[in-house]
Amino acid sequence: MKKIRILSKAAIFVLFISSIFFTFSSVEAVRFPGRLSNGIGNYGRNTQYYYVTPSANSMKGQINSRMSAWTNSNGTGAYTPISFRETGTQSASVVDFHKGSWWSASQGIAGYAEHYIGGSLVSTNQNWYWGIVKLNTPTFDRLTEFNKHGTIAHEIGHIFGLAHPTGHPYPYSVMLQIGQGRKTNGPQSIDFSDINQKYK
């Protein structure tokens, strides 16, 4: 489905469950009810694409690295259907990366994900066709390099349909928030397992 670029005040409705905070937050499930409608690549048979907007160009290396970490699960003992490549054609992408100032540093939001059907922002209770990852400069730029990588990987996970684990005993899930004690900056076997349960 071709994207219609309409960003309205509905974006203010940004799902806080898709945001990174430096406080604890409670999420009921590891996976959102919805998912990317056209899947996440089907083992390379239906490769999907992501686009780094000019606003996020300074982070392109980190974005490519974190998308590669999701695509290549080598060493984790998991094999997933994820197949993504960067594209220079924004209309062809299903994940767009932006960087800018949407929230003040005092709000502690380093990044968040939005889910769309056409130009309409939708709830994660339904499937979506594409999404936006927003890296919020006032907070994101204060992170360590390790946590910048982790934030990008975390928000990609939200676009794929993963949520924040609640009461998770395993700190090596990239879907944990920083305030929950996340100790990884890339997806781990438990994250890939959640992907497989969602898309296989």
Side-chain angles (χ1 to χ4, degrees):
M1 171 177 286
K2 186 173 181 179
K3 296 181 294 187
I4 304 170
R5 303 223 157 255
I6 303 173
L7 298 181
S8 66
K9 289 185 180 177
I12 297 298
F13 229 119
V14 127
L15 301 172
F16 283 90
I17 52 174
S18 294
S19 304
I20 292 180
F21 295 86
F22 296 107
T23 56
F24 290 90
S25 114
S26 109
V27 175
E28 295 302 318
V30 175
R31 297 175 296 278
F32 294 133
R35 53 179 255 177
L36 276 168
S37 291
N38 291 323
I40 53 175
N42 193 21
Y43 303 98
R45 292 188 288 271
N46 185 29
T47 294
Q48 301 295 301
Y49 295 91
Y50 66 95
Y51 178 78
V52 181
T53 67
S55 67
N57 247 4
S58 64
M59 297 304 299
K60 181 177 277 196
Q62 292 90 331
I63 290 167
N64 289 344
S65 166
R66 295 308 83 194
M67 187 61 84
S68 177
W70 275 107
T71 302
N72 302 304
S73 56
N74 298 340
T76 66
Y79 179 58
T80 76
I82 300 172
S83 179
F84 267 79
R85 292 180 185 170
E86 185 183 2
T87 179
T89 305
Q90 189 170 10
S91 61
S93 79
V94 296
V95 187
D96 292 353
F97 291 87
H98 297 254
K99 190 170 185 287
S101 299
W102 296 278
W103 307 89
S104 69
S106 64
Q107 291 173 284
I109 302 172
Y112 56 92
E114 295 175 344
H115 306 81
Y116 287 85
I117 295 177
S120 299
L121 183 68
V122 299
S123 162
T124 52
N125 288 323
Q126 66 184 94
N127 291 348
W128 51 89
Y129 280 99
W130 66 286
I132 291 176
V133 169
K134 291 186 174 179
L135 305 176
N136 189 48
T137 299
T139 305
F140 183 85
D141 284 359
R142 297 184 178 194
L143 298 178
T144 64
E145 194 65 21
F146 181 89
N147 281 328
K148 286 178 180 177
H149 278 78
T151 295
I152 294 167
H154 179 100
E155 298 305 333
I156 292 171
H158 283 320
I159 298 295
F160 289 170
L162 303 188
H164 300 148
T166 297
H168 210 300
Y170 188 59
Y172 294 95
S173 167
V174 79
M175 296 315 297
L176 286 174
Q177 296 169 292
I178 293 173
Q180 290 177 294
R182 187 177 70 220
K183 294 184 178 180
T184 182
N185 66 0
Q188 302 299 308
S189 57
I190 194 164
D191 304 308
F192 290 123
S193 174
D194 285 336
I195 285 289
N196 283 337
Q197 290 182 56
K198 196 165 192 65
Y199 288 97
K200 277 192 173 181

